[in-house]
Amino acid sequence: MNLFSTVLKNDERAIYELRSLYKQYGYSLYKVSKFEEYDLYAENKNFLINQNVLTFTDTNGKLLALKPDVTLSIIKNIPADSSLTQKLCYNETVYRPSSESGGFREIMQTGLECIGTIDLYAECEVILLAMKSLATVSKDYILDLSHMGITEGILETLGVDGNVKEEFLHLMKGKNVQGLKKLCEKHRISSSIQTNLCSLIDLYLPIQRALLVLQEFMVGEKMQTAYENLTRISQFFSENGLDEHIYLDFSMISDVNYYDGITFKGCINGIPESVLSGGRYDKLLHRLGKKSDAIGFAVYLDRLERFEYQAAQYDVDTILLYEKETDIQSVFQKQRQMQANGKSVFATLNLDPSLRYRQLIQFTNGGIQILETND
Amino acid sequence: MKPMINVALPKGRLGEKAYAIFEAAGYECPSIHEESRKLIFENEEKGIRYFWVKPSDVVIYVERGAADIGIAGKDIILEYSPDIYELADLGIGKCRMAVAAKKDFCDFRDRTLRVATKFPNIAKTYYASLSREIDIIQLNGSIELAPILGLSDVIVDIVETGTTLLENNLEPKQTIVEISARLIANQVSYKFKNESICSICDKIHQIL
């Protein structure tokens, strides 16, 4: 463990810690191929975070894609009519365009999927694992929870469609309450619905307090069912004293064609974007002709890279400078001896001036001489 | 301890007006008025730190968390569509994004329309909504010159009073969207510094 913490970078350490965490809960590692037939993504474009996919032609003329997502590849292989629960985790590279530089990037992603019969316990277990995943990186984390039933319920009360619905969704995602009010007025939406919508989007509280506030806005069966679901989840975590990190945030909206039920996002104080996202995606499975339900999440490891990053002061502890005539057996012995003391040793014939070192040692057949010490 | 809130203000008149709102809301930072080459100004007691950045960069500072909140024009937000929260319309820096052309310009729909602009995404989205084929000519300044010299048919640009357009024999033809300055917040800062950000937001709402 000590070795891990000193040698591995944040994201690399997270890979191992998360894998062992998921294993404790019976999740088995699932390996998928680096590429898939492009059709899989073309049919489910909106499920992808970014719809640009890196494609190429196989030797037989088939259009393939370097996978932009792991979930689709996993559920494609789930038997169509099985209700048995499978718990799978993965650690894969995905290829997505970078929003800044425009070109495609290789991104390391880890995550898990629980597929089969999903009951309250399965939901809570996945949320718990999401929280534990965040906690492996930092204890100062927040898991935002939302429910598609509530989002859909409020959209139904608005009674809007097409472009107008898109406009509403855009403003809701941006917590733009003033914009929502204006849009409601433009489309002559009653003031009570307007108030409900704005309070819902503006709401950002720990789950228990949020549920108390929420109680009065819940209209219709869809919202009521969602509310009950959230209440049970809240009870499970509060009874175990784990609810302080869970917040409700209904500005977090996922695609209604794929997600239903709870959705969540994880943030860590010090990383400016969310590092984990997931939820119930039964609808995606049903679209692919499977009878099972599913819940899962992904951790974006690339976003951990810069977190609490402390640049090493030195590239290497010791530079062992030897000469052409030096006996290499004694160089080897000397290097081993210093390594045994936990030092990193860079043995070289010539000194690279850009290297930062603690100690520079010259080693000749005549003996050893310390040329420079920087500590 | 109160967390420090980093505020990105746009350089120029808009930023000064925006700072005045913060000041009136009780988040003053007297050192900002001093003549100096300093880039960052803070009032530790109030838990606030200001810095001036190029107006179009405010959204980048906020989206990437270097600033927790910032003041950005709606034009910049629409152009870059950053993942941020838009918490308040400050009602300052009011203007509109409009299509303008020479006074005698007549649009024939049988040709591709050449559009000169600093805001290619706004222009593309607008004309896509009209199903109009366009050719974007991205310029970085003096947009008004483009139709005069025949570089483009129309321009998509910010119109405040329309005087510059008139002086150059141009006129606004259609309004695309009304623009004003917005208070924006980084999505993760909003969660971890929720109390401080919401209280700034509330106080600003009170004086607007």
Side-chain angles (χ1 to χ4, degrees):
Chain A
M1 215 49 219
N2 274 338
L3 178 72
F4 279 173
S5 59
T6 54
V7 176
L8 295 181
K9 294 190 295 175
N10 262 329
D11 43 341
E12 294 167 331
R13 187 167 46 80
I15 293 176
Y16 297 110
E17 289 186 6
L18 294 179
R19 194 193 291 180
S20 87
L21 168 68
Y22 304 152
K23 196 173 169 228
Q24 278 181 351
Y25 285 80
Y27 283 77
S28 51
L29 193 66
Y30 196 92
K31 182 92 193 135
V32 294
S33 154
K34 260 202 168 46
F35 33 87
E36 281 280 357
E37 279 187 31
Y38 174 69
D39 286 355
L40 178 66
Y41 305 114
E43 284 158 15
N44 299 291
K45 268 198 153 174
N46 290 331
F47 183 72
L48 305 175
I49 291 179
N50 189 304
Q51 299 183 359
N52 283 324
V53 180
L54 195 57
T55 55
F56 62 98
T57 319
D58 201 0
T59 47
N60 59 8
K62 262 192 183 159
L63 191 59
L64 295 182
L66 277 169
K67 64 179 188 309
D69 165 87
V70 189
T71 309
L72 278 170
S73 305
I74 292 183
I75 56 178
K76 196 182 78 170
N77 296 315
I78 296 295
D81 50 2
S82 164
S83 62
L84 292 177
T85 303
Q86 296 199 47
K87 297 189 178 190
L88 308 164
C89 65
Y90 60 84
N91 178 35
E92 296 281 341
T93 327
V94 292
Y95 301 84
R96 283 187 201 140
S98 130
S99 53
E100 303 82 39
S101 55
F104 276 90
R105 282 184 62 205
E106 201 179 65
I107 297 165
M108 193 52 113
Q109 187 175 305
T110 200
L112 60 82
E113 316 289 349
C114 180
I115 305 166
T117 312
I118 308 296
D119 64 341
L120 180 67
Y121 188 74
E123 275 185 354
C124 290
E125 187 184 85
V126 171
I127 296 174
L128 178 75
L129 282 169
M131 287 164 66
K132 283 184 176 248
S133 303
L134 292 166
T136 59
V137 184
S138 163
K139 301 289 171 228
D140 195 2
Y141 69 88
I142 284 177
L143 190 83
D144 285 335
L145 205 58
S146 178
H147 200 295
M148 292 304 288
I150 289 181
T151 318
E152 282 178 48
I154 196 85
L155 284 171
E156 276 171 21
T157 62
L158 291 174
V160 291
D161 252 320
N163 284 344
V164 185
K165 189 171 163 182
E166 286 303 316
E167 263 182 86
F168 268 104
L169 285 172
H170 181 74
L171 294 172
M172 285 158 79
K173 285 179 189 169
K175 281 196 185 286
N176 189 341
V177 174
Q178 272 171 305
L180 283 170
K181 279 183 186 157
K182 270 191 195 157
L183 196 60
C184 282
E185 278 156 22
K186 189 176 158 193
H187 294 280
R188 297 203 178 85
I189 284 159
S190 80
S191 63
S192 65
I193 294 176
Q194 186 184 321
T195 317
N196 276 4
L197 171 70
C198 294
S199 320
L200 199 69
I201 293 306
D202 205 24
L203 180 88
Y204 189 72
L205 286 171
I207 186 162
Q208 274 201 23
R209 278 169 59 200
L211 284 170
L212 286 175
V213 179
L214 210 57
Q215 222 163 6
E216 52 184 304
F217 308 134
M218 298 297 110
V219 283
E221 204 188 314
K222 228 177 210 174
M223 281 179 134
Q224 287 292 353
T225 320
Y227 185 81
E228 279 162 31
N229 190 192
L230 287 173
T231 310
R232 287 205 200 101
I233 292 171
S234 169
Q235 273 165 1
F236 173 85
F237 284 98
S238 66
E239 278 165 22
N240 290 293
L242 293 165
D243 61 336
E244 57 168 330
H245 294 281
I246 308 177
Y247 281 64
L248 286 191
D249 183 359
F250 296 103
S251 69
M252 178 175 78
I253 298 167
S254 310
D255 195 303
V256 288
N257 295 313
Y258 302 99
Y259 290 95
D260 46 6
I262 52 161
T263 56
F264 48 87
K265 253 187 190 161
C267 298
I268 282 168
N269 198 358
I271 302 179
E273 45 193 350
S274 62
V275 294
L276 178 150
S277 99
R280 274 296 285 258
Y281 53 91
D282 304 356
K283 280 190 186 166
L284 173 67
L285 271 101
H286 303 163
R287 276 172 78 110
L288 291 171
K290 320 279 179 184
K291 286 200 178 119
S292 323
D293 296 337
I295 181 169
F297 63 80
V299 184
Y300 309 122
L301 294 167
D302 57 316
R303 296 182 183 173
L304 306 181
E305 203 181 28
R306 296 198 159 269
F307 179 64
E308 288 184 351
Y309 173 75
Q310 282 176 335
Q313 222 178 338
Y314 298 103
D315 297 314
V316 64
D317 291 322
T318 308
I319 293 192
L320 187 62
L321 207 57
Y322 60 91
E323 291 169 337
K324 272 189 185 146
E325 299 75 31
T326 320
D327 170 33
I328 60 162
Q329 282 304 336
S330 54
V331 174
F332 177 55
Q333 293 302 337
K334 190 69 202 164
Q335 190 179 28
R336 278 224 309 207
Q337 187 193 340
M338 288 195 278
Q339 282 167 339
N341 297 330
K343 295 267 165 57
S344 54
V345 185
F346 188 105
T348 179
L349 269 174
N350 36 37
L351 181 65
D352 173 357
S354 67
L355 270 179
R356 296 165 307 162
Y357 46 83
R358 283 180 206 279
Q359 203 175 38
L360 177 64
I361 292 178
Q362 193 164 42
F363 191 59
T364 58
N365 285 335
I368 190 162
Q369 190 189 357
I370 298 175
L371 295 183
E372 195 183 332
T373 306
N374 287 320
D375 249 345
Chain B
M1 203 186 76
K2 238 177 152 180
M4 211 58 175
I5 302 293
N6 291 316
V7 188
L9 293 172
K11 268 185 203 158
R13 243 180 335 148
L14 179 67
E16 279 159 24
K17 277 190 196 167
Y19 171 72
I21 292 180
F22 275 91
E23 201 174 40
Y27 293 93
E28 72 282 358
C29 181
S31 63
I32 211 163
H33 294 301
E34 291 164 14
E35 282 285 322
S36 80
R37 282 174 181 275
K38 258 173 51 178
L39 297 170
I40 298 172
F41 306 90
E42 67 177 51
N43 183 342
E44 215 169 310
E45 185 198 338
K46 302 271 177 176
I48 202 138
R49 185 184 290 134
Y50 297 98
F51 43 88
W52 300 103
V53 303
K54 195 177 169 190
S56 56
D57 289 344
V58 171
V59 289
I60 301 174
Y61 278 81
V62 174
E63 187 179 26
R64 292 185 155 244
D68 299 308
I69 56 176
I71 305 298
K74 185 70 181 173
D75 50 332
I76 306 291
I77 301 174
L78 287 171
E79 180 60 24
Y80 295 97
S81 6
D83 276 330
I84 42 107
Y85 291 140
E86 196 182 308
L87 301 178
D89 181 347
L90 299 185
I92 53 170
K94 278 190 177 170
C95 53
R96 58 196 168 116
M97 184 66 70
V99 179
K102 284 206 270 191
K103 279 182 182 161
D104 56 359
F105 170 72
C106 188
D107 186 7
F108 294 104
R109 292 200 57 126
D110 59 349
R111 288 180 307 189
T112 302
L113 189 71
R114 295 170 306 156
V115 184
T117 184
K118 263 196 272 189
F119 303 94
N121 291 330
I122 295 178
K124 271 183 216 161
T125 317
Y126 173 67
Y127 282 105
S129 76
L130 304 175
S131 309
R132 183 74 206 263
E133 184 166 327
I134 58 163
D135 181 14
I136 293 263
I137 303 162
Q138 190 173 350
L139 299 176
N140 295 308
S142 310
I143 315 289
E144 296 84 1
L145 259 181
I148 299 170
L149 298 178
L151 176 63
S152 76
D153 300 317
V154 298
I155 60 171
V156 165
D157 205 11
I158 287 172
V159 178
E160 217 165 325
T161 55
T163 330
T164 324
L165 291 176
L166 277 174
E167 280 171 6
N168 290 295
N169 205 28
L170 302 172
E171 65 179 10
K173 300 280 183 188
Q174 294 99 26
T175 296
I176 299 180
V177 63
E178 301 289 338
I179 307 286
S180 59
R182 309 296 162 102
L183 172 68
I184 58 171
N186 173 275
Q187 297 194 339
V188 176
S189 299
Y190 181 84
K191 298 171 202 305
F192 287 100
K193 299 179 179 175
N194 190 263
E195 217 173 294
S196 306
I197 292 179
C198 287
S199 101
I200 293 175
C201 201
D202 287 345
K203 283 180 192 155
I204 285 179
H205 271 298
Q206 279 167 19
I207 60 164
L208 285 180

